[in-house]
Amino acid sequence: MLGPVLLAASRSDRMRRVVAAAPVTRPVVKRFIAGDELHPAMDTVRGLTTAGLDVTLDHLGEDVTDRATAQATRDAYLRLLETLRKDDLGPRAEVSVKLSAFGQALPDGGHDIALAGVREVAELATEIGTTVTLDMEDHTTIDSTLAILHELRREHPGTGAVLQSYLFRTEEDARALAVSGSRVRLVKGAYKEPARVAFQDKKDVDRAYVRVLRTLFEGQGYPMVGSHDPRMIAIAQDLAARNHRSAGSYEFQMLYGIRTAEQRRLADEGERMRIYVPYGADWYGYFMRRLAERPANLAFFLRSFLPAR
């Protein structure tokens, strides 16, 4: 029952101030966020890649309401990519972007502003030998996001996208994207969506996840399995075997700080394992959605408020 409450709180400025001001918050946030700035985050990236794990980096921020902030997001990603180039990490590290952070929702030409900004990021990513994945946000942004994906893939065919199994439309979107060269990360979904567009029951979301996973593995694209659910991981491995997919023709993705032993196990078994590494000062919305996703995350956070014994 707390999940919807936390998802609503993720968009609340008042709750943002309360949570950010709590003395115990920052140590807990460190579990999920690799740092407020790029250089501490890069220490994490180097450690993960040295250990045989790939990464995708997310400079945190969303729901931008002015053009200057959208441009600042673009510039942050360009600095990130230049740092990856300097460290020769292009083959091991890609970047994930939220188009709302690039100005997608701006009232005057937001779609075009976001496209122009992310195109510059995609150009530099291609230059250094890596790729961009477009994170999916709430259902009102999907048509714009997929249109931007279509435009970027004309010159940068490796550009990826995220699909969310809890949305009714996702099965059709998956069929359209399960084509040669297409990269698709499948997740269950982490935004509060109305019943008219999304499944509300976890069992229905899980069933939809399996159906979409099957479509992706039977297609000609590159599936990216975004899940910490042991059952979904096992189903994905079974689908890979059934469809004669070799190692490297798909991958698993998990969030930084969650199920680290499982991340290591899959990598040790020869699976391609990519860690979603977020960093940046604008961590609140991301952090609250992580709490909403799993009761264990929330319990971990609440325990930090208790006095030491």
Side-chain angles (χ1 to χ4, degrees), residues 56-232:
T56 182
L57 280 148
D58 173 13
H59 179 263
L60 292 169
E62 53 195 271
D63 298 330
V64 162
T65 57
D66 64 271
R67 192 162 185 166
T69 306
Q71 292 172 340
T73 298
R74 174 204 62 193
D75 293 344
Y77 273 99
L78 295 177
R79 287 193 297 273
L80 165 59
L81 288 165
E82 289 293 359
T83 303
L84 294 177
R85 187 212 300 263
K86 182 181 69 174
D87 287 4
D88 196 27
L89 283 171
R92 304 296 304 278
E94 63 146 47
V95 298
S96 291
V97 306
K98 288 181 174 60
L99 291 175
S100 71
F102 282 73
Q104 185 182 43
L106 294 179
D108 187 13
H111 175 93
D112 292 334
I113 291 168
L115 173 57
V118 76
R119 177 176 274 135
E120 291 186 55
V121 173
E123 288 170 353
L124 183 54
T126 298
E127 186 179 315
I128 74 165
T130 191
T131 55
V132 175
T133 295
L134 307 182
D135 281 344
M136 202 62 78
E137 302 179 69
D138 72 76
H139 76 278
T140 65
T141 68
I142 295 176
D143 287 337
S144 171
T145 298
L146 292 179
I148 288 173
L149 172 70
H150 180 73
E151 286 298 318
L152 291 177
R153 290 198 72 226
R154 294 177 189 274
E155 296 182 358
H156 309 285
T159 304
V162 176
L163 294 179
Q164 303 168 104
S165 72
Y166 68 173
L167 295 173
F168 298 151
R169 63 174 289 170
T170 295
E171 290 184 64
E172 182 178 349
D173 289 334
R175 286 190 290 271
L177 290 175
V179 297
S180 180
S182 180
R183 298 168 59 253
V184 178
R185 178 197 304 150
L186 179 63
V187 301
K188 292 183 181 180
Y191 292 84
K192 181 174 170 51
E193 297 285 13
R196 62 184 172 82
V197 302
F199 297 110
Q200 304 297 305
D201 186 83
K202 181 182 182 299
K203 289 182 179 178
D204 291 331
V205 176
D206 286 354
R207 292 186 188 106
Y209 193 98
V210 173
R211 291 194 299 269
V212 176
L213 204 59
R214 183 178 297 113
T215 296
L216 296 177
F217 272 88
E218 290 176 354
Q220 300 301 309
Y222 182 82
M224 300 183 285
V225 185
S227 180
H228 306 94
D229 185 333
R231 190 165 67 92
M232 298 305 163

Side-chain angles (χ1 to χ4, degrees), residues 10-85:
S10 72
R11 295 292 179 91
S12 167
D13 288 336
R14 181 175 179 276
M15 284 301 299
R16 179 190 298 266
R17 291 191 294 272
V18 170
V19 172
V24 299
T25 297
R26 296 302 299 178
V28 180
V29 168
K30 279 186 172 182
R31 174 177 176 176
F32 305 107
I33 312 297
D36 281 356
E37 304 291 340
L38 172 59
H39 293 295
M42 287 302 302
D43 290 339
T44 297
V45 170
R46 294 182 191 102
L48 291 170
T49 54
T50 298
L53 302 165
D54 291 332
V55 302
T56 182
L57 280 148
D58 173 13
H59 179 263
L60 292 169
E62 53 195 271
D63 298 330
V64 162
T65 57
D66 64 271
R67 192 162 185 166
T69 306
Q71 292 172 340
T73 298
R74 174 204 62 193
D75 293 344
Y77 273 99
L78 295 177
R79 287 193 297 273
L80 165 59
L81 288 165
E82 289 293 359
T83 303
L84 294 177
R85 187 212 300 263

